[in-house]
Every structure is written in structure tokens, then in C-alpha cells.
Amino acid sequence: MKPVLLNHIPESGSIEEVRFDAIGDCTWIKFQDSNYLDWVGVFGMGWGGGDDVIQIGHNVVFVLSNGQGYFIDVNERKLLCKTECDYLKSIIQADPDTVIAATDTEVYVYNINGLVFATKRIASDGINLKSFASGIVIGEVWGIDKWYPFSLNIENQHHKCSWSCTW
């Protein structure tokens, strides 16, 4: 079963809950391990960002909780890695063990061991991640007046865009 971002908190005691920095408002995600046992991860929130979950391996997921990212081993119910950036807005899967994340101004590349690299500021105030193929991230950046297409090669960390941030 694919991980599910829950809209409602389950009734207390109805399902196993595992907490990851869970204080105050949290993001709740239902998982099913390889033994078909359901459990819920309760994730502490970042400082303003998106909420999402993507399967990145057979038993590994990446959770985005209001900007904070978590790599979770679903079978072991344990944290593999937590992102240092806690204001991520969006995520897409790259290779089977790689996640691309964006804030409003930078792009971050993560694997289950942590940050691989981050770009310098490439947008004035917005990044839309569109797709990933053959080592290239495709998206668009807000450049003060409009959206500009960009590409980022995650192998050589080369970024291409007709707009560039001068600050």
C-alpha cells in the first residue's frame, strides 16, 4: 500500500503511532509495512512549506511535513535522516534513492544519507519542480516579472536558466 497523507487524526489506540519530532500540530501519514501491518507516522512540522510523501525505495519513504523532510524506513519504523532545511515547499523523486526538493529560492538534492548538494539562490521568490529524467531536473523559477524555465543536472550540479539572481 502506498503511504497516505491523512486528513483526520485516527482515534487514539486504533492504530500503532510512531512519533518523529511530534510536538504540537503534526502531519499524520498512514503506512503499511512488508508484513501488511498498518501504522501511522506522526511528524513534527517545519517552518512553512509543503506536505507530501513519496515512496523512494522498496521500504523507504520521504515525508515532507510543513517544510521539514524525513527519510523513514517503513518496515523498521525508524528515522534514517532528517533534512537540515525545514522550509521545503515541494519535492519530486529523482533516482530510486534520491529526492529533489525546493524552497522558494533554492533547490536541494537529498539521498537517505542526507544532503548531496544545494544550489545557490536561483529564484527571486518561487520554484516549481516539473519533472526529472536522465539526471536532469526540469522546472521553472520566478524571476521578479514572470516564470522562467530552468534545468539542473544533478550529476555535475550545472544549472541553466535565462534569468539569474543577482543578489
Side-chain angles (χ1 to χ4, degrees):
M1 179 176 101
K2 205 173 159 182
V4 177
L5 186 63
L6 299 178
N7 294 325
H8 300 46
I9 297 172
E11 182 179 326
S12 181
S14 66
I15 190 168
E16 178 186 358
E17 298 173 12
V18 180
R19 298 180 175 276
F20 301 93
D21 297 330
I23 298 171
D25 288 334
C26 294
T27 301
W28 294 66
I29 298 178
K30 184 177 181 181
F31 300 101
Q32 187 175 79
D33 66 19
S34 60
N35 291 322
Y36 304 104
L37 298 173
D38 293 338
W39 64 280
V40 173
V42 186
F43 297 88
M45 295 181 149
W47 289 101
D51 292 313
D52 203 354
V53 58
I54 54 176
Q55 188 90 34
I56 64 161
H58 178 67
N59 64 325
V60 177
V61 298
F62 185 84
V63 172
L64 185 60
S65 177
N66 197 41
Q68 182 65 64
Y70 300 88
F71 282 93
I72 303 296
D73 182 313
V74 174
N75 288 337
E76 300 291 325
R77 295 170 172 76
K78 74 176 190 172
L79 176 67
L80 299 173
C81 180
K82 178 179 164 184
T83 63
E84 76 296 332
C85 181
D86 58 4
Y87 51 96
L88 301 170
K89 301 286 184 175
S90 62
I91 55 174
I92 60 172
Q93 183 174 356
D95 299 323
D97 64 346
T98 305
V99 171
I100 311 297
T103 65
D104 283 328
T105 56
E106 295 92 21
V107 175
Y108 293 79
V109 178
Y110 295 101
N111 65 26
I112 61 172
N113 298 314
L115 181 66
V116 176
F117 77 91
T119 65
K120 61 180 178 61
R121 184 175 190 151
I122 64 169
S124 67
D125 192 22
I127 298 175
N128 291 323
L129 300 172
K130 301 276 188 176
S131 64
F132 178 85
S134 302
I136 308 291
V137 179
I138 301 296
E140 57 187 8
V141 300
W142 182 256
I144 301 193
D145 59 339
K146 66 179 185 174
W147 290 101
Y148 292 84
F150 83 92
S151 65
L152 173 65
N153 182 319
I154 67 168
E155 298 300 319
N156 64 18
Q157 303 176 16
H158 183 65
H159 163 261
K160 287 183 187 177
C161 185
S162 61
W163 182 86
S164 65
C165 187
T166 58
W167 62 89

